[in-house]
Amino acid sequence: MAEPAIAARNLSLVFGTNDGPVHALSDVNIDIAPGEFISLIGPSGCGKTTLLRVIADLEKPTGGEIRVNGVTPEEARLARDYGYVFQAPALFPWRTIEGNVMLPLQIMGLSKAERQERARKQLALVNLSGFERKFPWQLSGGMQQRASIARALAFEPKLLLMDEPFGALDEIVRDHLNEQLLKLWAATRKTVVFVTHSIPEAVFLSTRIVVMSPRPGRITDIVDCDLGPDRPLEIRETSEFLRIAQRVREGLRAGHSYEG
Amino acid sequence: MRASILPVLTVSAGIVVLWYLGAVWLNWQVVWDMQARAGNAPDFATMVSLTLSHARPLLPAPHQVLTETWNSLTGPPITSPRSLVNHAIVTLSAALAGFGLGSLAGVLLAVAIIHVRALERSLMPWIIASQAVPVLALAPIVIVALGALGMTGLMPKAIISAYLCFFPVAIGMVKGLAAPDALARDLLRTYSATPAQVFWTLRVPTSLPYLFAGLKVAVAAAVVGAIVAELPTGAQAGLGARLLAGSYFGQTLQIWSALTVAAVVSASLVGLLGLAERLVARRMGARA
């Protein structure tokens, strides 16, 4: 078997707060294979974003072990092994769309010509060709988020980490971007870890769905989601889709029943 | 644009009217006494016209100030000590030198404070205390001390200007350089950006609006600083010297015309900075 893209063993993270310790992650174990599309789903406070941030070395775990592409998250970050898409587009308003996509490449120290070439390529991949010279405020929210995905892909990383990237968008735009993301994933075969709180979104996109629950943040279920690579939006009406969605919903409910 | 012109004109007209009324009222007694000594009993209309044309009024009328300002700007040759252009240039060069020095010091101070957080606690009280000292009291000490060291002319005045300038710039830049939000900093962390890269690609662009706000306050303060620095030594040239001479000899028109030029110089500098800010903002993709 190929080396896992992400491997977590007994991973835990405790935040010390004024109200005592908060167990953001507790005993998390997961292996993610290269090329998988994994969704982390769960209610607020279940640690799904924290887990993503640990993978990205934006948070340090307090216990357990985690490897990203076979190395520690910090080494992976320094090697620019992943692209991270935040909840908000976080485009720099003083840079053009092209300038924003070139930002990581500029930091990487690539030549201007190469930066431009790569930026154009990534913008074409998210259907934003022709918008290179626009400033972020001239684009709609969905287009801005697509630009931020292009920016995350600029390094051409093997791993794409996405933190509720479409959470702030309306449903029509979200459906559209979900379709585009699937195509992108099919075209690039990257490993994707995708945080969401939408069950249909998770089922539609993923190869596996990791169901999490809060207090302490932990994994309660991992649901295989084998709908095949070709997924038109209509697949959401099929019984297979609904069966998986039902299983995820039950997992979420079971997690909640621990609260007393 | 058109909608904003009416209120501006209304307020300006109101100020001019109040000014004229004030001139009549404040100069009335002096004029009346003079006329009485001469054995005249002028009627109301004559009195009003006399209060608005007095040579040494308590409060000169707007048209008197404008005429005097115009005459002393355009009348004497620029090299003459009676030329306001001459005085304005002397003050302006000291103010600009001080503005440059002070702004640079302010920015450097802010950069240091941002990078070494301990400096904020240790330096900030001194920075604030420095501005609590009245510059009018401090200027003579500095000018005399620097004079003893052989420093005269433009430099001591520029230092007083810089002393007033650095403060708004430093305060603005400390705020501006710390303005980037956690999301933007996280983003650059995912790129493993070095602190220098974070500084240039994120902190500096974010701080520019704060920088311009600070610079506008600073440039007006620079002119005040230069003028104040011209007072204690009884300087021969500069708007401050002109003010001082005017008050020695009771030449209120001279004082007011110097004040007018100082105000116009300050306003122009602030205006120029506003223009520069707009150009920078446009380059940085601000909405038109």
Side-chain angles (χ1 to χ4, degrees):
Chain A
M1 183 188 152
E3 186 179 33
I6 293 163
R9 292 285 167 273
N10 309 323
L11 192 68
S12 66
L13 198 164
V14 182
F15 291 115
T17 71
N18 290 338
D19 300 331
V22 171
H23 294 265
L25 290 175
S26 168
D27 201 25
V28 167
N29 290 288
I30 189 167
D31 280 320
I32 298 173
E36 272 197 286
F37 196 122
I38 299 287
S39 283
L40 307 178
I41 193 168
S44 324
C46 72
K48 54 193 191 298
T49 293
T50 307
L51 178 53
L52 202 68
R53 289 176 65 85
V54 168
I55 297 170
D57 190 38
L58 294 174
E59 307 284 355
K60 300 275 185 212
T62 48
E65 203 192 337
I66 179 160
R67 312 290 279 178
V68 177
N69 289 334
V71 294
T72 66
E74 186 178 7
E75 286 163 336
R77 175 173 64 81
L78 292 173
R80 284 142 182 164
D81 263 352
Y82 67 83
Y84 198 105
V85 180
F86 292 88
Q87 221 164 336
L91 300 170
F92 289 0
W94 57 86
R95 284 177 170 251
T96 59
I97 294 303
E98 184 182 52
N100 269 289
V101 177
M102 292 195 308
L103 174 67
L105 305 172
Q106 180 186 340
I107 283 166
M108 208 173 161
L110 293 188
S111 74
K112 178 141 197 193
E114 196 168 348
R115 292 197 312 245
Q116 248 163 356
E117 191 199 312
R118 282 226 217 167
R120 271 167 215 278
K121 189 175 136 203
Q122 301 304 342
L123 283 170
L125 213 53
V126 295
N127 290 332
L128 277 179
S129 295
F131 291 91
E132 287 87 355
R133 302 260 160 233
K134 300 279 188 210
F135 282 98
W137 64 270
Q138 295 170 300
L139 270 60
S140 69
M143 289 161 95
Q144 289 185 22
Q145 197 54 288
R146 263 147 61 198
S148 89
I149 293 172
R151 182 182 58 190
L153 294 172
F155 280 153
E156 301 189 340
K158 283 174 274 184
L159 178 60
L160 189 56
L161 306 175
M162 307 179 88
D163 184 8
E164 293 189 48
F166 311 137
L169 304 172
D170 66 63
E171 197 160 343
I172 298 165
V173 176
R174 178 187 268 222
D175 280 354
H176 181 62
L177 290 185
N178 280 343
E179 271 188 300
Q180 286 197 336
L181 180 59
L182 262 188
K183 286 202 188 104
L184 189 78
W185 175 65
T188 58
R189 305 309 297 177
K190 295 192 186 303
T191 314
V192 182
V193 184
F194 187 94
V195 168
T196 181
H197 51 228
S198 157
I199 297 173
E201 187 172 64
V203 180
F204 181 68
L205 291 171
S206 315
T207 55
R208 276 195 299 163
I209 300 168
V210 176
V211 182
M212 298 182 69
S213 102
R215 285 173 293 274
R218 65 201 185 280
I219 294 175
T220 49
D221 197 4
I222 296 179
V223 183
D224 281 321
C225 183
D226 194 15
L227 294 171
D230 190 32
R231 304 181 183 189
L233 277 175
E234 296 74 50
I235 203 170
R236 295 180 300 185
E237 318 298 330
T238 64
S239 59
E240 180 68 2
F241 186 97
L242 295 173
R243 191 187 57 75
I244 298 169
Q246 182 59 30
R247 164 116 189 251
V248 173
R249 188 167 291 117
E250 274 163 13
L252 288 171
R253 211 171 284 151
H256 261 281
S257 69
Y258 283 91
E259 287 179 82
Chain B
M1 192 63 203
R2 179 145 305 174
S4 66
I5 286 175
L6 190 66
V8 170
L9 285 181
T10 312
V11 169
S12 307
I15 289 173
V16 169
V17 167
L18 280 177
W19 191 343
Y20 271 108
L21 290 176
V24 171
W25 181 52
L26 282 170
N27 301 329
W28 188 274
Q29 196 60 50
V30 182
V31 172
W32 183 258
D33 291 347
M34 274 176 71
Q35 293 298 319
R37 273 200 299 279
N40 298 337
D43 60 16
F44 182 76
T46 317
M47 274 301 290
V48 168
S49 112
L50 285 172
T51 55
L52 297 181
S53 57
H54 192 38
R56 291 179 172 194
L58 263 179
L59 176 62
H63 68 271
Q64 288 181 292
V65 174
L66 286 181
T67 315
E68 169 70 16
T69 306
W70 181 254
N71 287 343
S72 38
L73 281 175
T74 58
I78 285 181
T79 48
S80 152
R82 290 187 54 241
S83 165
L84 264 185
V85 177
N86 180 10
H87 293 296
I89 289 174
V90 169
T91 302
L92 181 64
S93 39
L96 284 182
F99 174 64
L101 278 176
S103 304
L104 187 68
V107 170
L108 291 179
L109 211 55
V111 171
I113 286 174
I114 283 295
H115 284 97
V116 189
R117 271 291 162 188
L119 281 182
E120 173 149 27
R121 289 225 192 122
S122 48
L123 276 183
M124 237 359 148
W126 294 102
I127 291 174
I128 289 164
S130 76
Q131 301 301 303
V133 179
V135 69
L136 205 59
L138 197 69
I141 303 172
V142 174
I143 302 281
V144 170
L146 290 177
L149 294 174
M151 218 194 268
T152 53
L154 181 135
M155 214 46 205
K157 295 198 281 176
I159 287 173
I160 298 290
S161 277
Y163 183 81
L164 290 184
C165 274
F166 89 95
F167 183 69
V169 176
I171 296 291
M173 281 304 271
V174 165
K175 184 117 177 117
L177 290 171
D181 57 10
L183 184 57
R185 292 202 308 269
D186 275 350
L187 179 73
L188 289 182
R189 186 173 157 81
T190 67
Y191 303 153
S192 305
T194 64
Q197 287 172 326
V198 174
F199 183 78
W200 290 110
T201 59
L202 178 62
R203 289 193 194 276
V204 168
T206 315
S207 71
L208 285 183
Y210 298 84
L211 175 65
F212 275 107
L215 288 179
K216 283 187 198 169
V217 178
V219 81
V223 175
V224 171
I227 289 175
V228 167
E230 284 162 355
L231 298 178
T233 51
Q236 296 303 302
L239 292 173
R242 186 84 173 156
L243 284 173
L244 205 59
S247 68
Y248 276 153
F249 302 111
Q251 297 285 356
T252 42
L253 282 176
Q254 189 182 319
I255 297 177
W256 279 83
S257 60
L259 284 180
T260 306
V261 170
V264 169
V265 165
S266 290
S268 311
L269 292 174
V270 174
L272 278 177
L273 277 172
L275 200 67
E277 182 178 20
R278 282 229 294 285
L279 289 177
V280 169
R282 193 169 307 164
R283 275 215 52 164
M284 289 176 51
R287 288 162 213 238

